[in-house]
Amino acid sequence: QVQLVESGGGLVQAGGSLRLSCAVSGSFFSINAMGWYRQAPGKQRELVASITSGGRRNYADSVKDRFTISRDNAKNTVYLQMNSLKPEDTAVYYCNAVYSNYRWGQGTQVTVSS
């Protein structure tokens, strides 16, 4: 079974940066696309960025040009570089396969202060 472990969250000031990591058990062989999701209090979980096995990237309009998703196949790890952070980016961030129903990990908290 695939397991997902997120890390790298924390408290940062508006305008700052964070780099999130998602360690995936096994390999990326069975995963066509990986995504980063976030869920803020009282809101639905939303997909903010995704990357396919071929390297195609997609971003939600709210994070486009500020966030960058990437992956390192040798480490079975997906990253989310978050720049120019805003208070509205505050949420728990999760990674998961976009087209498969793997169990969600615990997520990592990102808090952006004004």
Side-chain angles (χ1 to χ4, degrees):
Q1 289 184 299
V2 171
Q3 290 185 308
L4 307 161
V5 181
E6 301 93 343
S7 63
L11 174 64
V12 298
Q13 300 178 73
S17 298
L18 283 173
R19 186 175 179 85
L20 307 184
S21 297
C22 171
V24 183
S25 66
S27 73
F28 290 135
F29 177 78
S30 64
I31 303 175
N32 179 259
M34 287 292 299
W36 280 98
Y37 301 75
R38 68 185 182 189
Q39 187 168 29
K43 296 185 177 180
Q44 292 286 98
R45 181 154 46 209
E46 63 172 336
L47 178 66
V48 298
S50 65
I51 184 168
T52 69
S53 58
R56 182 180 179 183
R57 296 167 169 85
N58 286 289
Y59 300 95
D61 288 342
S62 59
V63 308
K64 190 175 180 64
D65 298 324
R66 298 190 298 118
F67 293 7
T68 302
I69 187 171
S70 62
R71 70 182 193 178
D72 184 337
N73 289 342
K75 296 182 178 180
N76 289 345
T77 301
V78 182
Y79 302 96
L80 186 67
Q81 179 66 48
M82 309 164 66
N83 298 325
S84 302
L85 283 162
K86 305 175 180 179
E88 50 263 47
D89 294 319
T90 296
V92 178
Y93 283 72
Y94 303 86
C95 63
N96 213 328
V98 175
Y99 302 112
S100 300
N101 291 317
Y102 299 123
R103 288 188 176 91
W104 296 95
Q106 295 300 304
T108 185
Q109 176 72 49
V110 171
T111 302
V112 184
S113 62
S114 59

